[in-house]
Amino acid sequence: MKKWMWWGCAALAVVNLSACDPQKDAVDAEKTVVSDFESGTDDWSGDFAEYSTQQDDIMEFKLERASLPAALDASKKAMKIEGHNRSDDMFMYLKRKVTGLDPSRTYKVTFEIDLGTDYPANSVGIGGSPGSSVYLKAGASPNEPVKKLVDDFYTVTIDKGQQAVGGKEMIVIGDVSNGVEDFVYKLVKRTNSETPVSVKPNANGEIWLCVGTDSGFEGKSTLYYDKIKAVIK
């Protein structure tokens, strides 16, 4: 009897040690990405999609790390992105790789985005409102979102849905309206805290975060990503 009791205790000790394996805890730990762009791009890059090759020279795309507008705080930096939606359906996006995740697990991702915008919700523009017809989306994928040319039209590989409708990998978390009735720059916060995005990492334990705007407004949009926070757990 004493012999069996000893083996039982030894087995229990092995189970407890396994449960406290520090390497396993490392890949299972919650990861948080917070980028405020004060000292650099923090590994965020971006691109543009959903337009034809014939429109290459007229979309007025620009992506750069720049100062916030003076009406906000010109001493602070942000990721500035802009384009002129001459294709009726322009997608402008940022992306960032996250490593060190467990390939066997599915993660939930929530975002908080501080966005500099000067477009009122009730404003009128060609094709739609420059505020409420430009949809902000956020999500994640095991594969890098890249621009892809299909029959002279640039698409993007992440499943983002179409304008006001989200996709399997990106969801709509709001629009780019500034919350007031005038064309003045405001910082607005958008989040999907109540509707996290599910993602399973690739075999290397990697996912790609992606945020962007899907535009139904057929004019020029200029936006400032002041801060992007993503919690992965």
Side-chain angles (χ1 to χ4, degrees):
M1 177 65 70
K2 291 182 179 179
K3 180 178 179 180
W4 286 112
M5 288 176 64
W6 184 89
W7 279 110
C9 292
L12 183 60
V14 170
V15 170
N16 287 337
L17 285 172
S18 175
C20 297
D21 182 351
Q23 185 171 359
K24 185 177 188 300
D25 288 346
V27 295
D28 286 347
E30 175 180 302
K31 285 185 174 289
T32 300
V33 174
V34 181
S35 303
D36 62 10
F37 309 110
E38 290 305 309
S39 59
T41 64
D42 198 22
D43 295 326
W44 287 89
S45 60
D47 213 332
F48 307 85
E50 299 202 328
Y51 64 99
S52 72
T53 54
Q54 288 76 29
Q55 297 166 325
D56 265 320
D57 297 329
I58 60 173
M59 298 294 287
E60 301 177 51
F61 291 137
K62 181 181 289 186
L63 172 61
E64 62 180 349
R65 178 172 165 267
S67 298
L68 283 172
L72 297 176
D73 186 348
S75 69
K76 293 182 62 179
K77 298 294 186 181
M79 290 297 287
K80 177 183 178 181
I81 191 166
E82 66 181 20
H84 196 133
N85 184 15
R86 301 183 190 275
S87 66
D88 302 339
D89 189 22
M90 176 180 67
F91 185 59
M92 311 191 299
Y93 64 97
L94 302 177
K95 60 183 178 180
R96 185 190 192 276
K97 183 166 69 172
V98 177
T99 62
L101 302 175
D102 186 346
S104 68
R105 292 182 178 269
T106 296
Y107 290 80
K108 300 287 188 180
V109 186
T110 55
F111 291 85
E112 287 183 8
I113 299 174
D114 292 347
L115 188 72
T117 173
D118 68 341
Y119 306 110
N122 60 355
S123 52
V124 178
I126 303 170
S129 166
S132 54
S133 296
V134 180
Y135 306 97
L136 183 63
K137 296 183 175 182
S141 173
N143 305 305
E144 181 179 4
V146 294
K147 183 186 334 189
K148 183 178 180 181
L149 185 61
V150 179
D151 297 328
D152 296 325
F153 192 80
Y154 294 105
T155 64
V156 66
T157 54
I158 194 169
D159 188 344
K160 64 173 185 62
Q162 191 69 14
Q163 292 190 13
V165 179
K168 294 180 180 178
E169 296 179 305
M170 296 187 78
I171 63 171
V172 178
I173 65 171
D175 57 35
V176 303
S177 57
N178 63 2
V180 296
E181 297 182 356
D182 301 316
F183 283 88
V184 292
Y185 272 104
K186 297 290 183 181
L187 277 178
V188 298
K189 188 180 293 291
R190 300 288 185 260
T191 181
N192 67 322
S193 59
E194 300 298 321
T195 53
V197 176
S198 297
V199 61
K200 188 171 184 180
N202 60 29
N204 296 320
E206 304 166 342
I207 65 171
W208 284 83
L209 304 176
C210 188
V211 300
T213 49
D214 215 346
S215 181
F217 164 59
E218 298 171 25
K220 189 172 184 177
S221 295
T222 303
L223 301 165
Y224 295 82
Y225 288 90
D226 181 51
K227 185 171 75 171
I228 302 172
K229 177 181 178 181
V231 178
I232 307 152
K233 62 181 179 181

